[in-house]
């Protein structure tokens, strides 16, 4: 099916399902992540992208199907375990602690220490120097790593998180809509780092609802809709137009166009615009 | 915000900006102002003995303000902190008296039980995921009731019996409630405890991994959990820190007065929180310092004793406290906004 069929994927999901009580969040989803490749997961709000991430990141356990790391079926019990297995996740909204300095954020949860017994302490010098050097390698020149990370722009924060994952030896990088809240220029910067991580041999899972961003860096594309897979392509077999059309939902789009034209004449538009941004069918726990 | 990213990075942050972003700045400005105010209003305020009195009043608040500040940086409250001090004192006294044991045995038992109460608060918080306000309000009420109930049940009155003639009392008193003189200033040993705790608290916050975790769980709990920080363990540790402070304060109470009134301590928890907030702790967590809480406690001590030295009506104390709280918080908020103006 794919050009890399002979290799063992870093992460492989086959027929994975997840239920929250009676709500079916994910059903029969399969995907592969290979070293040095970007696997894009495309889907609208409420398609199950967040649930998928949480399973790969070890925040939730899947109910059905298999999750294999390096060909070995497993069930991740905590984010810590996922990290230890080389899966680093950069969450869209919970990537950093805004009030903490950049260097503290960079090493949060994996602080290097020196000294013995009660005098064991963080190696602050090393942490500061490393943060600065690693960000420089990613092309971010931060004069003051002591500034609160909340003072950085959204794109820069994503980049810090990516640089951190790369530094800590991640084999798989999971990015949760890294470009969703960003402008065009900032998105470009983030996509550059996605490509940089890929070129350094990491397997990248890139979650997005923007097919244009996905097509710029992606090698494989998985389309999700209401928790099920509606398509799976490699870069060779699909063109951007086709991806965009499938993503937008083809026939549905025509129906929507028709509906919107009528709506403009019949009633004020803001009645529709005032609705919730995310679908009500969203599983609980997605903040 | 028209400045581009590159420009913003080049600008960096000036030393002044860095100074302004210190959490304790507001409280230091306030403390200097209050000090000058009372130095002018009351001649006796600057005497050596007065300094000792002010430091003593500050230290009894400050010992608790340090762990309460750390807990607040970690994003939680402890409303049971005030009565836990009394519980701890009652326990030492009554255990030693009833068992006719060396008072050090009572002191040790009290330490274990007090730490257990702190652990209870932390574990309840982690298990139930209820707000700490509710959980510690429950602990607060239960402890208040237990303090009165057990004391009446065991002693027959609302206070404990004297233990001054028991073995180990003098050595325990030396550790928890003695006075020594430094350069003509009579200093209570609680001041030493206070300064030691401030140093320990600062060390933990600024230089240890636990400190990094405390800032993280208070600043963004979900982010902390996602990168593998043990959130429940960190918070439980913080509550046990408050319990440790309560134990020290409680032993001081016992060994300086010999008998303990079972109804004491109610309302003090708010004073600790106020000291921490005046000292620059963000009430929503993630920001603050141990030194700030010490300055907050010092402000508190200066005001409470300064009013007496100035021979003002002490009824006004609470008014000053409230005004200081508002001013310090406003100043802190303003300063932080200035410091993060690039946001």
């Amino acid at each position: 099916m794919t050009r890399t069929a002979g290799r063992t994927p870093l992460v492989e999901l086959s027929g994975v399902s997840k239920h929250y009580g009676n709500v079916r969040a994910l059903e029969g989803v399969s995907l592969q992540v290979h070293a040095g490749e970007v696997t894009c997961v495309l889907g609208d709000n409420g398609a199950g992208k967040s649930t998928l991430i949480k399973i790969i990141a070890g925040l939730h356990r899947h109910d059905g199907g298999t999750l294999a790391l390096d060909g070995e079926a497993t069930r991740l019990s905590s984010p810590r375990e996922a990290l230890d297995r080389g899966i680093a996740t950069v969450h869209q909204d919970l990537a950093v602690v805004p009030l903490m300095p950049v260097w503290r954020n960079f090493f949060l949860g994996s602080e290097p220490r020196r000294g013995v017994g009660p005098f064991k302490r963080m190696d602050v010098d090393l942490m500061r120097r490393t943060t600065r050097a690693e960000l420089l390698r990613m092309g971010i020149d931060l004069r003051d790593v002591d500034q609160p990370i909340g003072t950085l722009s959204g794109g820069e924060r994503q980049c810090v998180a990516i640089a951190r994952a790369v530094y800590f030896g991640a084999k798989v990088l999971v990015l949760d809509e890294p470009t969703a809240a960003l402008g065009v220029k900032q998105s470009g910067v983030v996509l550059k780092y996605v490509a940089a991580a890929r070129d350094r041999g990491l397997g990248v899972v890139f979650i997005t609802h923007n097919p244009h961003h996905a097509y710029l860096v992606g090698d494989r594309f998985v389309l999700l809709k209401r928790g099920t897979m509606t398509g799976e392509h490699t870069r060779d077999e699909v063109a951007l137009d086709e991806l965009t059309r499938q993503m937008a939902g083809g026939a549905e789009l025509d129906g929507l166009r028709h509906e919107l034209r009528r709506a403009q004449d019949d009633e004020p538009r803001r009645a529709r615009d005032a609705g919730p941004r995310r679908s009500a069918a969203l599983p609980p726990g997605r903040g | 915000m028209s400045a581009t990213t590159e420009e913003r990075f080049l600008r960096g942050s000036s030393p002044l900006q860095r100074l302004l972003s210190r959490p304790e700045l507001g409280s230091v400005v306030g403390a200097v102002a209050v000090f000058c105010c009372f130095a002018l209003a009351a001649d006796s305020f600057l005497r050596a003995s007065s300094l000792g009195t002010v430091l003593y009043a500050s230290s009894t608040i400050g010992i608790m303000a340090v762990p309460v500040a750390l807990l607040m940086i970690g994003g939680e409250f402890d409303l049971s902190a005030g009565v836990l001090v009394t519980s701890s004192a009652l326990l030492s006294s009554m255990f030693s008296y009833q068992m006719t044991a060396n008072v050090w045995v009572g002191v040790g038992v009290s330490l274990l039980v007090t730490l257990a109460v702190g652990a209870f608060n932390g574990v309840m918080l982690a298990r139930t995921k209820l707000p700490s306000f509710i959980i510690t309000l429950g602990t607060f009420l239960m402890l208040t009731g237990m303090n009165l109930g057990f004391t009446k049940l065991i002693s027959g009155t609302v206070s404990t019996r004297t233990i001054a003639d028991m073995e180990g009392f003098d050595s325990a008193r030396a550790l928890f409630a003695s006075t020594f003189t430094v350069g003509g200033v009579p200093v209570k040993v609680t001041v030493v405890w206070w300064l030691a705790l401030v140093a320990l608290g600062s060390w933990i916050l600024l230089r240890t991994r636990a400190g990094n975790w405390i800032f993280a769980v208070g600043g963004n709990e979900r982010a902390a959990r996602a990168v593998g920080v043990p959130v429940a363990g960190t918070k439980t540790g913080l509550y046990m820190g408050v319990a440790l402070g309560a134990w020290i304060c409680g032993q001081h109470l016992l060994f300086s007065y010999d008998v303990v009134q079972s109804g004491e301590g109610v309302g003090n928890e708010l004073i600790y929180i106020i000291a921490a907030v005046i000292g620059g702790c963000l009430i929503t967590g993630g920001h603050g310092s141990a030194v700030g809480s010490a300055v907050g406690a010092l402000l508190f001590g200066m005001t409470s004793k300064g009013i007496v030295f100035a021979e003002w009506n002490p009824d006004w104390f609470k008014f000053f406290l409230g005004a200081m709280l508002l001013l310090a918080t406003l100043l802190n908020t303003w300063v932080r906004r200035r410091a993060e103006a690039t946001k």
Side-chain angles (χ1 to χ4, degrees):
Chain A
M1 169 187 102
T2 60
R3 65 203 149 121
T4 45
R7 279 195 293 153
T8 312
L10 294 174
V11 177
E12 182 167 26
L13 269 63
S14 338
V16 163
S17 312
K18 175 74 190 172
H19 297 253
Y20 296 99
N22 287 329
V23 182
R24 187 193 64 179
L26 222 52
E27 187 74 61
V29 173
S30 305
L31 68 81
Q32 293 185 344
V33 185
H34 288 271
E37 283 189 17
V38 179
T39 302
C40 297
V41 178
L42 288 142
D44 207 349
N45 296 332
K49 303 190 301 274
S50 301
T51 309
L52 188 65
I53 285 187
K54 283 178 175 165
I55 290 169
I56 302 177
L59 280 160
H60 288 337
R61 269 181 253 191
H62 54 286
D63 303 323
T66 55
L67 164 65
L69 304 181
D70 291 322
E72 178 198 343
T74 186
R75 211 172 264 262
L76 296 169
S77 58
S78 71
R80 188 78 253 173
E81 193 190 341
L83 274 172
D84 292 343
R85 303 284 298 260
I87 301 175
T89 309
V90 178
H91 295 272
Q92 177 190 9
D93 50 348
L94 43 75
V96 296
V97 185
L99 280 171
M100 281 168 79
V102 176
W103 64 271
R104 278 181 182 266
N105 265 292
F106 193 90
F107 283 95
L108 184 59
S110 316
E111 297 85 352
R113 291 190 297 169
R114 62 202 184 101
V116 285
F119 299 106
K120 211 165 196 180
R121 60 200 182 276
M122 294 193 300
D123 197 342
V124 175
D125 276 347
L126 175 79
M127 289 165 79
R128 283 212 175 94
R129 264 186 294 122
T130 311
T131 305
R132 196 169 144 54
E134 285 298 312
L135 290 182
L136 209 55
R137 273 177 68 177
M138 286 296 240
I140 308 172
D141 188 8
L142 217 56
R143 177 173 291 183
D144 182 14
V145 291
D146 269 304
Q147 59 185 312
I149 203 165
T151 59
L152 302 187
S153 73
E156 288 153 2
R157 267 179 276 174
Q158 290 283 348
C159 295
V160 172
I162 295 172
R164 173 168 108 176
V166 173
Y167 173 74
F168 282 110
K171 288 185 289 179
V172 179
L173 190 61
V174 184
L175 303 169
D176 182 9
E177 307 217 19
T179 58
L182 304 180
V184 176
K185 195 177 163 197
Q186 295 261 348
S187 297
V189 173
V190 172
L191 289 173
K192 238 166 55 192
Y193 296 130
V194 173
R198 175 198 64 196
D199 294 342
R200 286 172 77 161
L202 276 80
V204 181
V205 182
F206 180 28
I207 316 272
T208 181
H209 58 240
N210 188 326
H212 301 274
H213 288 168
Y215 204 75
L216 280 171
V217 292
D219 297 294
R220 292 156 190 278
F221 306 92
V222 171
L223 286 113
L224 287 185
K225 191 180 214 176
R226 293 201 196 104
T228 57
M229 272 174 71
T230 52
E232 186 183 17
H233 311 283
T234 58
R235 195 185 179 82
D236 317 333
E237 2 171 293
V238 69
L240 176 60
D241 289 348
E242 173 60 15
L243 203 62
T244 311
R245 203 191 63 79
Q246 285 193 14
M247 171 67 199
E252 262 178 58
L253 197 63
D254 296 332
L256 185 65
R257 189 176 295 128
H258 183 62
E259 202 177 326
L260 284 176
R261 194 181 304 121
R262 284 214 336 218
Q264 250 172 345
D265 304 333
D266 293 352
E267 55 177 310
R269 218 183 187 154
R270 37 172 215 282
R272 269 155 213 280
D273 290 346
R277 202 175 71 80
R278 286 186 182 275
S279 152
L282 204 62
R286 180 69 178 89
Chain B
M1 187 62 45
S2 60
T4 68
T5 313
E6 288 80 1
E7 280 166 356
R8 199 141 54 69
F9 282 133
L10 287 176
R11 236 190 296 133
S13 55
S14 65
L16 180 70
Q17 222 174 2
R18 208 171 287 186
L19 178 74
L20 283 174
S21 68
R22 297 294 312 162
E24 52 281 290
L25 179 83
S27 59
V28 170
V29 172
V32 171
V34 168
F35 181 84
C36 293
C37 166
F38 283 116
L40 292 173
D43 299 332
S44 55
F45 188 72
L46 292 175
R47 268 188 228 139
S49 62
S50 310
L51 184 61
T53 314
V54 166
L55 281 179
Y56 173 51
S58 309
S59 68
T60 52
I61 302 300
I63 288 173
M64 285 302 282
V66 171
V68 166
L70 261 61
L71 180 67
M72 194 176 279
I73 294 167
E76 304 295 342
F77 288 109
D78 189 352
L79 296 179
S80 65
V83 286
L84 189 56
V85 171
T86 313
S87 303
S88 186
L90 288 169
L91 244 158
S92 306
S93 172
M94 287 197 289
F95 189 88
S96 306
Y97 186 85
Q98 293 302 323
M99 302 291 156
T100 17
N102 187 310
V103 294
W104 282 102
V105 178
V107 169
V109 170
S110 168
L111 174 63
L112 293 179
V113 176
T114 311
L115 286 177
V117 173
F120 170 81
N121 277 332
V123 170
M124 282 290 282
L125 184 81
R127 282 285 159 82
T128 63
K129 302 199 166 37
L130 288 171
S132 60
F133 187 89
I134 298 294
I135 288 171
T136 59
L137 186 62
T139 322
F140 160 73
L141 291 170
M142 288 193 293
L143 285 176
T144 312
M146 275 161 64
N147 284 354
L148 287 166
F150 276 123
T151 310
K152 273 190 186 167
L153 201 68
I154 294 167
S155 307
T157 63
V158 289
S159 64
T160 60
R161 308 281 175 79
T162 175
I163 57 163
D165 52 352
M166 292 179 67
E167 218 177 308
F169 186 87
D170 292 330
S171 56
R173 178 172 215 156
L175 183 62
F176 292 110
S178 57
T179 309
F180 57 95
T181 313
V182 178
V185 181
V187 181
K188 282 269 187 187
V189 73
T190 47
V191 176
V192 177
W193 280 103
W194 177 34
L195 295 178
L197 280 177
V198 172
L200 180 68
S202 298
W203 159 263
I204 290 175
L205 275 181
L206 300 178
R207 283 296 173 266
T208 69
R209 186 169 68 174
N212 219 29
W213 293 351
I214 293 170
F215 280 116
V217 297
N220 186 346
E221 188 178 321
R222 289 193 303 157
R225 183 171 287 126
V227 295
V229 172
V231 174
T234 305
K235 289 194 171 174
T236 306
L238 288 171
Y239 274 105
M240 290 175 76
V242 175
L244 181 70
W247 174 76
I248 297 169
C249 266
Q251 304 319 300
H252 167 70
L253 204 64
L254 169 62
F255 292 108
S256 55
Y257 299 107
D258 182 20
V259 289
V260 185
Q261 303 295 325
S262 57
E264 270 180 27
V266 177
N268 284 356
E269 63 281 346
L270 290 180
I271 292 174
Y272 308 142
I273 291 173
I274 289 167
V277 171
I278 288 178
C281 285
L282 200 58
I283 206 140
T284 45
H287 191 67
S289 74
V291 174
S293 80
V295 182
L298 187 66
L299 248 169
F300 190 91
M302 283 198 293
T303 315
S304 65
K305 297 303 164 191
I307 285 179
V308 178
F309 292 129
E311 291 169 355
W312 295 347
N313 188 337
D315 296 344
W316 288 93
F317 171 62
K318 287 269 164 69
F319 172 83
F320 280 108
L321 194 63
M324 268 181 345
L325 177 67
L326 278 181
L327 280 174
T329 315
L330 279 174
L331 188 63
N332 283 335
T333 315
W334 179 75
V335 160
R336 215 180 38 251
R337 270 199 210 126
R338 287 291 301 266
E340 292 176 9
T342 49
K343 196 162 182 171

